[in-house]
Amino acid sequence: MVPFKPFFTGQAVSEFKRVTTCQKCIRTPDIEVVGRTARHHTFFEMLGNFSFGDYFKENAIPWAWEFVTEQLGLPADKLWITIYLDDDEAFEIWHKTVGIPEDKIVRLGKDTNFWEIGVGPCGPCSEIYIDLGEARGCGSPDCRVGCDCDRYLEIWNLVFIQFFRDEEGNYSPLKSKGIDTGMGLERVASVVQQVSSNFDTDLFREIMDYTANLAGHNYGQDNQIDLALKVIADHCRAVTFAVSDGALPGNEGRGYVIRRLLRRAVRFGRVLGVKETFLFKVAGAVISQMEQAYPELVQKREHILRVIRTEEERFLETLLLAVIY
Ligand SMILES: [Zn+2]
């Protein structure tokens, strides 16, 4: 979203007024819980559609509904909507145009339903949630959309960029309004494929099964083994894409992020009983899985595998030295 900021404020003019994106994202603050929860990852793909002064709420909302119910085939009666407290415009469109019953449109506050990052374009959000069923809930009589438990899962966030926030925190309406949406691919895949964790979608299972096979294990029989398979799949996806985008393992900045992810994956390989280099092979499986969507992976395949293998070898040497001394 950040590179698009000037298009929303009018500082720059985009070549296209309508854009759809599939953004590769790497984030590591949650690295320690990856594999222990259903939805934390260090690498994920964020789907989005953007309007720079073109369509606004009156289109973005019905189109989002059409996409989730018709293209993704999600059951309309399981879907819930949130809007920002005073966003009556969004309420009217959801209720009157789309036909969502009033009691399934929940008004929430600034912490969840208003998007802003400091000075710049900002605006209210509307989210689409899916009810995964009572069995996934916390059992509390107050359990509803916005509850911290696993029952209601947010699948799409629509941001209506309509204000500009200045240094003093004042909001003024933007001359040309915009749309910015975000939908996590792994999460939505888990809903479409009706599995309880992102790791059980084909995105991860193919990689985990490949690794399990390589190490002589099966997924789903031992919690420690499963955790290792999940962490390795997650970290290997991150490393493969980062290296394909030009990052190299190192001691500083993004290089250190890559090094840390790679070494962590190698350590989890030891949980599987793997003593030799293996991560570059898993990276090969990631490339095979993703090459249709990301052809650059094929062009850089040799480079990616060589970088990962070399770093693995170096790390295994230090691990070995640590054992000897
Ligand atoms: Zn709950």
Side-chain angles (χ1 to χ4, degrees):
M1 151 65 193
V2 174
F4 288 161
K5 260 190 168 184
F7 300 147
F8 289 121
T9 56
Q11 277 174 306
V13 178
S14 168
E15 192 184 341
F16 308 101
K17 290 198 148 199
R18 298 178 176 190
V19 169
T20 55
T21 56
C22 180
Q23 207 184 336
K24 294 174 280 183
C25 308
I26 290 182
R27 69 185 298 276
T28 54
D30 302 316
I31 189 168
E32 301 291 336
V33 297
V34 167
R36 299 177 194 276
T37 69
R39 322 219 176 267
H40 285 96
H41 305 294
T42 62
F43 172 83
F44 55 94
E45 293 169 272
M46 184 62 78
L47 310 179
N49 58 291
F50 298 83
S51 157
F52 308 120
D54 194 56
Y55 63 87
F56 195 50
K57 277 179 214 180
E58 68 290 346
N59 288 121
I61 289 174
W63 290 347
W65 185 255
E66 181 189 320
F67 186 77
V68 292
T69 56
E70 291 176 30
Q71 265 70 43
L72 297 181
L74 301 182
D77 61 331
K78 297 272 193 294
L79 299 176
W80 286 71
I81 304 301
T82 71
I83 56 170
Y84 181 56
L85 288 174
D86 67 359
D87 194 355
D88 296 327
E89 204 181 3
F91 177 85
E92 293 292 307
I93 299 166
W94 278 118
H95 183 50
K96 296 211 171 116
T97 311
V98 180
I100 307 295
E102 222 169 314
D103 61 353
K104 291 186 87 178
I105 305 173
V106 183
R107 290 179 190 256
L108 294 176
K110 210 165 184 180
D111 51 333
T112 58
N113 281 59
F114 196 93
W115 189 91
E116 62 183 347
I117 306 180
V119 172
C122 58
C125 315
S126 180
E127 302 162 309
I128 302 177
Y129 277 77
I130 186 158
D131 180 359
L132 296 175
E134 235 179 305
R136 302 281 294 278
C138 56
S140 157
D142 296 327
C143 186
R144 55 175 62 88
V145 169
C147 185
D148 279 338
C149 73
D150 291 333
R151 176 165 177 179
Y152 296 96
L153 183 68
E154 184 215 319
I155 53 169
W156 204 352
N157 188 13
L158 317 177
V159 184
F160 311 124
I161 308 282
Q162 61 188 92
F163 299 113
F164 185 89
R165 187 189 148 123
D166 67 18
E167 278 90 358
E168 280 87 50
N170 301 313
Y171 300 91
S172 52
L174 280 172
K175 251 184 252 143
S176 88
K177 295 166 185 171
I179 294 289
D180 166 3
T181 82
M183 174 191 264
L185 176 69
E186 296 75 12
R187 176 179 289 217
V188 86
S190 78
V191 172
V192 171
Q193 294 172 21
Q194 298 180 1
V195 291
S196 57
S197 145
N198 295 2
F199 289 99
D200 290 306
T201 65
D202 52 359
L203 284 164
F204 286 90
R205 277 302 299 273
E206 277 181 27
I207 310 301
M208 287 159 56
D209 288 340
Y210 176 87
T211 311
N213 190 37
L214 201 68
H217 292 286
N218 285 307
Y219 174 62
Q221 292 180 351
D222 178 293
N223 285 342
Q224 286 312 108
I225 298 291
D226 289 354
L227 175 64
L229 292 171
K230 290 173 182 176
V231 172
I232 291 164
D234 174 89
H235 291 9
C236 193
R237 278 160 43 98
V239 171
T240 302
F241 275 96
V243 174
S244 104
D245 280 341
L248 289 171
N251 286 327
E252 283 165 37
R254 67 176 186 174
Y256 180 67
V257 173
I258 311 308
R259 175 160 285 166
R260 184 165 171 232
L261 285 164
L262 197 146
R263 293 185 167 189
R264 222 168 160 264
V266 171
R267 271 199 229 103
F268 274 94
R270 302 226 138 187
V271 176
L272 301 179
V274 183
K275 296 268 180 353
E276 65 278 18
T277 56
F278 74 102
L279 202 63
F280 74 99
K281 295 180 187 167
V282 181
V286 172
I287 294 171
S288 302
Q289 188 196 40
M290 294 294 209
E291 63 182 26
Q292 247 193 313
Y294 299 100
E296 68 271 21
L297 290 174
V298 187
Q299 290 155 18
K300 294 182 184 159
R301 185 187 169 90
E302 295 314 312
H303 168 73
I304 296 167
L305 301 190
R306 193 173 53 243
V307 167
I308 295 177
R309 188 175 193 168
T310 306
E311 179 71 10
E312 258 191 294
E313 282 166 355
R314 287 173 61 181
F315 184 50
L316 286 173
E317 277 168 27
T318 44
L319 279 182
L320 202 62
L321 286 173
V323 172
I324 293 169
Y325 295 107

